[in-house]
Amino acid sequence: MKKFILSGVLLIGSMLAVKAQDVKFGVKGGLNLSKLTSTNGSKVLAGFNAGALVNFKLDNNWAIQPEVQYSTQGTKVKNDILWGAVTTEGTMKLDYINVPVLAQYHIIDEFYLEGGPQIGFLTSAKAKSGGVSVDVKDNMKTVDFGLNFGFGYKFDMGLGIGARYNFGLTNVYDSDKINRKNSVAQIDLFYIF
């Protein structure tokens, strides 16, 4: 399945390269604020993302931008036990290689809105509480699907800033008894060469 999806992304990218008027490459990185949905007592976990992008300008307003980025995600958990007499705190850290493919609409040359699908490949999953860290990757799904929506501003020199929200569409756990999805807000700086 992964090879099929990757082949499809490469095929679409190749077709866009032929039709695109202007192709530019870039790098990006920034802050992630993530949480797993439907988790009682969960709080936002700070992380980061870093990666590369290719921007295919189709005309004056439209562009397609596939990316590959390393993304640290997850959630903080705080549970009250014995009616608040004992509290436990921990984190669930999930690391992904995410591949979003975004359609961008430029309202003006510098400012754009964007949206599109994303596939993520789980590279690591660790639960930590009380100084003890446990590898839980075997309990997680290795592929995650989501949708991205955001906006950005690019200065004339190629430097820019963007904000994006990714909401997961699939359960991150490899179980029907637990249903949690990724929820990630990103603030990035990027540079287009």
Side-chain angles (χ1 to χ4, degrees):
M1 179 71 173
K2 290 180 194 177
K3 289 180 182 178
F4 177 73
I5 294 170
L6 187 57
S7 298
V9 169
L10 291 174
L11 179 64
I12 291 169
S14 299
M15 289 188 305
L16 290 173
V18 171
K19 290 192 157 231
Q21 295 176 357
D22 191 13
V23 178
K24 294 187 178 178
F25 297 89
V27 293
K28 65 181 302 186
L31 173 68
N32 282 355
L33 299 173
S34 63
K35 188 175 171 180
L36 294 178
T37 62
S38 304
T39 305
N40 293 334
S42 69
K43 297 190 183 262
V44 171
L45 179 68
F48 71 93
N49 68 80
L53 61 91
V54 181
N55 187 279
F56 299 97
K57 188 173 181 182
L58 302 175
D59 62 25
N60 288 338
N61 296 103
W62 288 97
I64 301 292
Q65 182 168 293
E67 302 175 1
V68 175
Q69 59 179 231
Y70 177 77
S71 180
T72 62
Q73 300 171 195
T75 195
K76 285 185 182 178
V77 180
K78 184 175 183 179
N79 293 317
D80 289 327
I81 303 171
L82 299 174
W83 301 278
V86 178
T87 302
T88 63
E89 293 184 12
T91 58
M92 172 68 79
K93 292 187 178 180
L94 307 172
D95 296 338
Y96 287 93
I97 301 293
N98 287 329
V99 183
V101 179
L102 305 163
Q104 293 181 338
Y105 179 74
H106 289 258
I107 296 171
I108 58 175
D109 284 344
E110 298 84 10
F111 182 75
Y112 62 86
L113 302 174
E114 65 183 3
Q118 171 178 291
I119 184 170
F121 303 99
L122 184 68
T123 61
S124 172
K126 295 188 191 280
K128 184 177 181 180
S129 181
V132 177
S133 182
V134 178
D135 187 337
V136 294
K137 187 176 177 186
D138 290 341
N139 300 325
M140 313 300 281
K141 288 187 179 170
T142 57
V143 177
D144 181 56
F145 293 97
L147 288 176
N148 287 290
F149 297 98
F151 59 90
Y153 189 89
K154 185 179 76 125
F155 299 96
D156 288 337
M157 66 192 108
L159 186 65
I161 186 166
R164 182 183 301 167
Y165 177 72
N166 168 263
F167 62 92
L169 299 174
T170 56
N171 184 7
V172 297
Y173 286 94
D174 197 13
S175 168
D176 293 333
K177 295 178 182 177
I178 305 172
N179 189 10
R180 308 284 186 266
K181 297 174 183 169
N182 281 306
S183 173
V184 185
Q186 295 180 324
I187 301 169
D188 292 318
L189 289 176
F190 61 86
Y191 183 78
I192 297 184
F193 302 102

